[in-house]
Amino acid sequence: MSNFIKHIFQPGSDHREETPALQIISRDEHSISRSQISDAALKVLYRLHNAGYEALLVGGGVRDTLLGMSPKDFDVATDATPEQVNKLFRNSRLIGRRFKLVHVVFGREVIEVATFRAPPTDEHSDKIAATGDQGMILRDNVYGNREEDAMRRDFTINALYYNIADFSLYAYAGGWHDLKQRQLRLIGDPETRYREDPVRMLRAIRFLGKLNGFTLAPDTAAPIPMLAPLLEQIPSARMFDECLKLFLAGKACETLELLRNYQLFGHIFPGTEQCLRDDDQACELALNTMRNTDKRIQAGKSVTPYFFLASLLWPQVARVAREFESAGMAPHPALQKAADRVLAQQIRHTAIPKRFSIPMREIWELQLRLPKIQSRKARELLTHPRFRAAYDFLLLREQSGEDLGGVGKWWTRLQEDEGVPEAPRRSKSYTDEEQRPPRKRRRRPSSSQNNNQRRG
Ligand code: ATP
Ligand code: MG
C-alpha cells in the first residue's frame, strides 16, 4: 500500500480500516457488460487501449450502471495525457484550464476523457497543482497513476473503474462495499476534501437526491453545515451550473429540503432563504415550483431555468418592490428597481446569463400586467412571447395561497376561447398586503439535521 493510500485510512473510522485500498472484482462477480456501455464510450476505450494506454470507465457511468440506472454520460480515465488523447481522436477538443480534459464528440454524445490525477502536492517539480489559502485547489493538472487518481475523486462510489482490458472492476477506498451498503462516503478526510473543493458538498446533496436509498456516511455529513460558507468562494459561473444540475434532475423537492437542512441553501440563494424563513407563502411557492419542475421532468417535458429562477427569486422581488412602493414609487418602476437589486445580489452567488435574466424580468413584469384584466389591452398579452410562462407562474402563485382575485381562472377561460368572462372583483397588484390570506403557522424544516472542485 502506498503512503498516500495509507494516509486516508483514519484510525478508528469505521470499515475503512479493514477495507483494502484496492479491490479487484472480476467480470463474473459484477453486473456491468459492454452492452450497457454506449458505442461512443466503447470506441474511446478501445482506441486508447489499442494505442497502448490504460483505458477505464469511471464515475457515474460505472456507478449508475451497477445500480441498475441508466447513466447520464460516460467518463473515461486514462494514463494518456490530454494532448495524447487529443491526437488520437480527430473528433476531440481540449477543454478546461483549472482541470484539463478532452471531450471526444460523437454527434450529441460527448465522452469526457480525463488523465489520471496525482495529489496536489508541491513535491511535483512542475508545480502546476496549486492550493489556495483556505485549502482550495485552484488548478489540478498534475498527472499520476490510477491509484492516485482514485484518491483524488470525491466519493468512494465514484472511484469504481471498469477496465476495458479485462472487463474487471477496480474499487478503491471501499467503494464496492459502500455501493452495496448504499452509502455516500468521501474519500479521505472529509473536511480537507470539502475545503479543497466546496462544490463536493453540493455533489453530496445531488447524489443523495438522485440515488434512491443512499445515505451520507456520518463523517461525510458532519462537517457540511460548518463548511457551508465556503460555497461563497466558488466562482459564480460554476455555482450556476451546479445549481441547474441540482434542481433540474427530477428531485428538486428533496434537494431543496436537503440543502436547507444542511444549511447550504442560504449560501446559494441568501435572499430566498431569508424569505423562506419569514414567509410561509414563499415556502409554499418554492415547494410548488419544485413539484412542478419535478413533474415536468418526470413527464419528459422541458424545463426552462428562467421559469424556475424567476419563481425562486420572486418573493424577494415582490418584497423589495413593496418597499419602493411604500417610499412613493409607482408599481412598474418599483418592480424594475427591485428586479435590478435582487438580480445584482443573486449573480454574486450564481451567475445568471442574460438569456435567462431577460425572460425572468419579463415574467416578473407581466405579474403586474396580467391582473389588469379590465384594460382594453389585456388580450394583447396573449401574444406576448413570455405570456405562457408568466401565466403559468401566476397560477403557481395562486396555487401557493396568493389571492389575486381569480385572475388566473379568467386567463384560463380566455385561452379556452369561451369568450371573455365577466371580470372578477377588481384585483389589486400583488403588492397589496391586505389581499394576502392570513398567514398560517407552518413548521419549518429544522435548520440543522446532522452535524457535514474537483476541478477545484
Ligand atoms: P453524473 O454524471 O451522474 O452527474 P458523475 O459522478 O459522473 O455523476 P461527473 O461530474 O460527470 O459526475 O464527474 C465524473 C467523475 O469525476 C465523478 O464520478 C468523480 O469521480 C469525479 N469528480 C467530478 N467532480 C469531482 C469533484 N468536484 N471532486 C472530486 N472528484 C470529482
Ligand atoms: Mg458523469
Side-chain angles (χ1 to χ4, degrees):
M1 198 191 283
S2 75
N3 279 341
F4 180 67
I5 291 191
K6 251 187 255 158
H7 99 256
I8 71 149
F9 287 71
Q10 307 283 320
S13 73
D14 48 61
H15 82 271
R16 283 190 211 157
E17 275 175 303
E18 310 96 55
T19 312
L22 167 65
Q23 215 180 339
I24 302 178
I25 300 117
S26 65
R27 66 187 294 187
D28 45 339
E29 290 173 289
H30 67 74
S31 61
I32 298 188
S33 73
R34 274 167 293 169
S35 64
Q36 293 161 301
I37 303 169
S38 77
D39 289 347
L42 285 173
K43 261 190 209 153
V44 172
L45 289 168
Y46 275 117
R47 185 158 324 159
L48 285 166
H49 175 67
N50 293 337
Y53 298 113
E54 281 193 63
L56 304 105
L57 209 61
V58 67
V62 178
R63 179 196 67 220
D64 294 353
T65 308
L66 287 169
L67 292 170
M69 301 161 66
S70 51
K72 180 163 77 52
D73 48 38
F74 288 98
D75 304 297
V76 168
T78 181
D79 58 352
T81 63
E83 290 73 19
Q84 287 168 329
V85 178
N86 188 221
K87 261 198 206 133
L88 218 48
F89 296 93
R90 271 199 320 165
N91 51 333
S92 72
R93 54 174 185 249
L94 281 163
I95 63 149
R97 280 200 315 147
R98 190 186 49 191
F99 193 95
K100 258 199 223 167
L101 290 168
V102 180
H103 275 175
V104 189
V105 184
F106 298 84
R108 294 179 65 183
E109 188 172 355
V110 177
I111 306 297
E112 199 166 276
V113 185
T115 306
F116 296 147
R117 260 28 182 212
T121 57
D122 280 349
E123 63 199 53
H124 293 268
S125 53
D126 45 7
K127 292 203 172 129
I128 43 177
T131 314
D133 283 356
Q134 312 269 341
M136 192 151 104
I137 296 180
L138 306 172
R139 286 183 299 286
D140 195 354
N141 288 318
V142 178
Y143 305 127
N145 59 31
R146 177 160 31 86
E147 181 180 283
E148 289 174 315
D149 184 75
M151 298 308 140
R152 298 287 320 124
R153 293 188 177 265
D154 47 5
F155 300 95
T156 61
I157 59 164
N158 287 346
L160 298 165
Y161 296 73
Y162 173 79
N163 191 353
I164 203 66
D166 60 3
F167 314 119
S168 58
L169 203 64
Y170 291 70
Y172 290 89
W176 184 240
H177 174 273
D178 287 337
L179 188 90
K180 286 192 280 194
Q181 297 295 311
R182 299 185 96 78
Q183 178 128 237
L184 263 178
R185 179 191 304 279
L186 267 180
I187 296 173
D189 170 54
E191 188 173 331
T192 311
R193 302 307 309 282
Y194 288 135
R195 284 189 187 280
E196 281 175 2
D197 182 6
V199 165
R200 290 175 184 147
M201 295 187 274
L202 299 183
R203 289 176 59 85
I205 302 303
R206 182 155 69 83
F207 293 131
L208 269 188
K210 166 178 170 152
L211 307 173
N212 281 336
F214 267 75
T215 53
L216 275 184
D219 62 343
T220 297
I224 294 181
M226 179 190 74
L227 299 177
L230 294 178
L231 285 181
E232 317 236 357
Q233 297 169 11
I234 301 295
S236 61
R238 185 169 179 222
M239 281 297 281
F240 180 75
D241 291 346
E242 290 300 326
C243 275
L244 294 192
K245 284 193 215 158
L246 271 167
F247 288 113
L248 304 181
K251 292 286 175 71
C253 283
E254 289 97 317
T255 301
L256 176 67
E257 199 184 340
L258 285 165
L259 287 174
R260 294 198 71 211
N261 286 346
Y262 280 100
Q263 295 171 34
L264 291 163
F265 189 70
H267 297 285
I268 315 173
F269 290 98
T272 309
E273 173 62 28
Q274 195 55 50
C275 289
L276 296 181
R277 283 194 196 160
D278 300 346
D279 180 351
D280 295 333
Q281 217 164 62
C283 282
E284 209 49 50
L285 181 66
L287 274 180
N288 281 327
T289 306
M290 306 293 158
R291 282 191 201 114
N292 193 32
T293 309
D294 288 346
K295 254 197 232 148
R296 287 188 68 90
I297 291 171
Q298 275 144 27
K301 294 186 190 165
S302 65
V303 262
T304 48
Y306 63 74
F307 182 87
F308 176 85
L309 290 166
S311 174
L312 264 191
L313 298 182
W314 170 255
Q316 269 177 90
V317 173
R319 177 189 279 183
V320 178
R322 269 198 302 276
E323 285 164 16
F324 286 130
E325 278 193 59
S326 333
M329 212 179 257
H332 278 271
L335 184 90
Q336 263 160 18
K337 218 168 156 200
D340 289 344
R341 181 182 288 182
V342 169
L343 281 169
Q345 279 164 358
Q346 186 55 41
I347 58 175
R348 295 213 302 264
H349 301 272
T350 59
I352 303 179
K354 283 238 157 50
R355 67 178 189 284
F356 297 142
S357 62
I358 292 171
M360 284 164 73
R361 284 171 181 279
E362 289 172 329
I363 292 176
W364 292 336
E365 212 245 307
L366 282 167
Q367 300 310 300
L368 284 190
R369 292 170 68 190
L370 286 174
K372 298 201 173 122
I373 51 181
Q374 268 108 349
S375 152
R376 268 186 289 132
K377 289 191 172 165
R379 280 164 170 275
E380 286 173 19
L381 294 182
L382 286 173
T383 56
H384 190 291
R386 222 55 71 192
F387 170 79
R388 185 73 212 185
Y391 157 75
D392 284 346
F393 182 53
L394 190 89
L395 294 185
L396 212 57
R397 288 171 60 203
E398 286 188 331
Q399 193 192 329
S400 310
E402 260 188 272
D403 180 2
L404 300 174
V407 285
K409 217 181 253 168
W410 188 86
W411 282 105
T412 306
R413 284 167 63 191
L414 182 65
Q415 290 172 86
E416 286 166 358
D417 208 16
E418 290 179 8
V420 186
E422 182 99 352
R425 73 182 156 83
R426 189 176 166 70
S427 72
K428 298 180 189 170
S429 94
Y430 69 91
T431 52
D432 288 323
E433 197 60 70
E434 66 273 19
Q435 280 220 349
R436 294 164 180 266
R439 281 187 189 173
K440 278 182 262 154
R441 281 233 156 266
R442 280 179 63 245
R443 218 159 51 85
R444 271 181 232 124
S446 69
S447 54
S448 157
Q449 202 183 39
N450 296 289
N451 283 332
N452 166 32
Q453 89 212 341
R454 158 151 163 173
R455 316 193 168 189

